[in-house]
Amino acid sequence: MGTQAPETYSPPAAKGGGDDGGGRSAREKSLEEWLPINSDRHAKWWYSAFHNVTAMVGAGVLGLPYAMSELGWGPGIAVMILSWVITLYTLWQMVEMHEMVPGKRFDRYHELGQHVFGDRLGLWIVVPQQLAVEVSLNIIYMVTGGQSLKKFHDVVCDGGSCSRDIKLSYFILIFGSVHLVLSQLPNFNSISAVSLAAAVMSLSYSTIAWGASLDKGKGADVDYGLRATTTPGKVFGFLGGLGDVAFAYSGHNVVLEIQATIPSTPEKPSKKAMWKGALVAYIIVAICYFPVTFVGYWAFGNGVEDNILITLSKPKWLIALANMMVVVHVIGSYQVYAMPVFDMLETLLVKKLHFRPSLTLRLIARTLYVAFTMFVGITFPFFGGLLSFFGGLAFAPTTYFLPCIMWLAVYKPKRFGLSWCINWICIVIGVLLLVLSPIGGLRQIILTAKTYQFYQ
């Protein structure tokens, strides 16, 4: 990756001992084993591959041609390629840091943050950002799933006896009801089949999206100018496009939790299997992202919708099939991002509020969470604006530069050396995304809200 992880790193001893529990009581150990992240460590490297594909390729890929229409050819290509390289590098850093303390595994993003920044500060730095990413993604996936179900219905029933207009809210309710059942699966490995199906679907519908665009060809009236006509519109649109791209690279928020499911020994540390799977996943991400982005923009120009499959209309059977593939995929993506939230929620209930671990507790807590994301998705289905706003505000720190800050704090590479320079370049780019891109997304949400009627 251009920089080498130090082979010898001897940080201060972590509190609480290693995986064997150190001074923990039998009750504490049993609680740990009940929680979703720690309950099963038998995953293979290919679990890492399809979990990462499911986490990465989702609603974001459908909005990338729209992002290109806000950025233009030159900046758009540069931002896409740079984001792929930077996020692959920061993912490698997180995989390396998972077991940087001998005998201890940082199974959760916030545990790594606590080790680097201190117990209290690390918690406050990481948890709000990670929750913002995961909860916002679950809300957006509710909207995406509902939109795709509605598109499927509209395409199949076009001109037929079932072609009555049904509100998007009802389709989000249908989509959300699936998660009321799936959310009861206990841990990451239990959702492996769902995640694998989702990963296959992501590759399939991405191929359909760019293949159908290529088959349609470039229209006679396609315009590659920025979609906004005023100078303020172009500026805010450009910032929103940055947020759309940042949103598309959001898988880092579950990387450590996925790695926690892989067994590890001194001879075969989990990072080897995890990195192998992550690298395969990133190759698949490139196969999905780049053709959809560039071919979709080439075919439609600045007339593309914020969901490329909504723009496409022919052949009908293929577009209907692609939208159902999106539904299957975002079902898996929702579960992958919900699992760390369930882990945090159940940790709070059991360890802090002292509820007894039980199926009833899990049923109530997870059902309430699914209902919450469903309600917010129905109330605020601003798909394009949400991508831009959350993409910069929450996704940029956890994906683009927080791993680099941790790396610098832990390994302290030589000043102005290769590792030091690469990390600071990533930090600067990530901070610019954090500051600039939410502005464009917020403006788009405000403009949409002016004409939006709730639950219509």
Side-chain angles (χ1 to χ4, degrees):
M1 291 305 302
T3 56
Q4 182 69 34
E7 293 181 4
T8 56
Y9 167 62
S10 302
K15 295 179 180 179
D19 274 335
D20 60 358
R24 293 182 302 171
S25 65
R27 180 178 181 276
E28 288 174 324
K29 292 178 186 177
S30 66
L31 290 179
E32 280 291 321
E33 292 170 358
W34 182 77
L35 294 172
I37 302 302
N38 300 112
S39 61
D40 193 342
R41 295 191 190 269
H42 297 96
K44 307 297 183 184
W45 72 264
W46 53 86
Y47 285 51
S48 161
F50 59 72
H51 280 323
N52 275 289
V53 170
T54 301
M56 188 75 71
V57 184
V61 68
L62 302 175
L64 288 174
Y66 183 89
M68 284 290 292
S69 72
E70 295 180 310
L71 298 170
W73 274 119
I77 292 173
V79 169
M80 282 294 299
I81 294 175
L82 197 59
S83 290
W84 190 87
V85 173
I86 289 174
T87 56
L88 178 59
Y89 172 67
T90 55
L91 189 149
W92 169 78
Q93 289 180 312
M94 294 189 71
V95 171
E96 288 287 329
M97 289 189 288
H98 179 80
E99 291 176 284
M100 61 185 173
V101 177
K104 181 173 177 63
R105 300 180 67 174
F106 297 109
D107 293 331
R108 300 164 178 86
Y109 205 146
H110 69 81
E111 290 177 0
L112 179 60
Q114 287 177 290
H115 174 75
V116 176
F117 303 116
D119 285 347
R120 188 175 181 82
L121 181 60
L123 206 63
W124 282 103
I125 288 175
V126 175
V127 170
Q129 294 184 79
Q130 191 179 15
L131 277 176
V133 170
E134 289 160 355
V135 175
S136 64
L137 267 171
N138 283 156
I139 293 168
I140 292 169
Y141 285 150
M142 279 288 180
V143 178
T144 308
Q147 284 183 332
S148 297
L149 277 175
K150 180 174 172 57
K151 178 69 173 178
F152 174 80
H153 170 270
D154 294 346
V155 170
V156 171
C157 296
D158 185 25
S161 58
C162 64
S163 60
R164 59 189 294 265
D165 186 44
I166 300 177
K167 293 190 292 187
L168 174 61
S169 303
Y170 294 128
F171 288 103
I172 296 176
L173 282 170
I174 295 169
F175 180 79
S177 65
V178 175
H179 295 290
L180 293 174
V181 178
L182 291 180
S183 64
Q184 300 309 313
L185 294 172
N187 52 51
F188 260 119
N189 285 343
S190 67
I191 63 170
S192 294
V194 178
S195 183
L196 176 59
V200 172
M201 291 300 102
S202 67
L203 183 58
S204 301
Y205 74 70
S206 296
T207 303
I208 290 174
W210 70 260
S213 299
L214 189 64
D215 181 69
K216 173 191 174 295
K218 178 183 174 183
D221 56 346
V222 169
D223 183 3
Y224 296 123
L226 298 182
R227 62 189 305 121
T229 55
T230 64
T231 301
K234 290 179 180 178
V235 172
F236 285 115
F238 186 88
L239 299 180
L242 294 177
D244 291 345
V245 175
F247 177 92
Y249 292 94
S250 55
H252 293 46
N253 292 276
V254 292
V255 164
L256 295 179
E257 287 81 356
I258 292 171
Q259 191 169 349
T261 66
I262 298 175
S264 183
T265 63
E267 297 76 25
K268 292 183 66 177
S270 65
K271 67 180 182 181
K272 292 184 178 180
M274 180 66 186
W275 176 240
K276 184 178 180 180
L279 197 57
V280 170
Y282 249 74
I283 292 171
I284 296 173
V285 166
I287 293 171
C288 293
Y289 278 21
F290 295 136
V292 171
T293 305
F294 303 143
V295 175
Y297 182 53
W298 168 80
F300 297 104
N302 59 20
V304 70
E305 297 284 343
D306 60 2
N307 182 330
I308 182 65
L309 291 180
I310 293 177
T311 309
L312 293 164
S313 58
K314 294 180 181 180
K316 286 186 177 181
W317 67 270
L318 191 62
I319 303 307
L321 177 63
N323 276 280
M324 281 310 298
M325 288 177 175
V326 173
V327 172
V328 174
H329 178 252
V330 293
I331 284 173
S333 295
Y334 183 100
Q335 290 300 315
V336 167
Y337 279 102
M339 198 59 70
V341 180
F342 295 154
D343 183 81
M344 291 185 200
L345 187 59
E346 289 162 19
T347 299
L348 174 67
L349 292 171
V350 172
K351 291 189 173 182
K352 300 297 183 183
L353 302 181
H354 306 294
F355 282 90
R356 186 173 64 87
S358 65
L359 290 176
T360 303
L361 178 68
R362 183 164 278 170
L363 175 66
I364 294 172
R366 296 188 179 189
T367 299
L368 287 174
Y369 175 76
V370 172
F372 167 75
T373 57
M374 189 192 310
F375 170 75
V376 178
I378 291 171
T379 307
F380 305 104
F382 307 137
F383 182 76
L386 288 170
L387 290 185
S388 301
F389 182 73
F390 285 116
L393 188 65
F395 294 66
T398 53
T399 301
Y400 283 79
F401 67 87
L402 192 54
C404 296
I405 293 175
M406 292 178 176
W407 187 271
L408 291 173
V410 167
Y411 292 118
K412 297 178 174 59
K414 182 181 178 182
R415 195 171 187 182
F416 300 114
L418 180 60
S419 177
W420 188 91
C421 290
I422 289 175
N423 281 287
W424 273 107
I425 289 170
C426 295
I427 291 170
V428 170
I429 292 173
V431 170
L432 287 174
L433 279 174
L434 167 67
V435 173
L436 297 176
S437 57
I439 299 172
L442 184 60
R443 178 178 182 267
Q444 189 174 343
I445 291 172
I446 292 170
L447 292 175
T448 306
K450 286 182 179 180
T451 58
Y452 179 72
Q453 294 182 331
F454 287 101
Y455 310 115
Q456 292 298 312

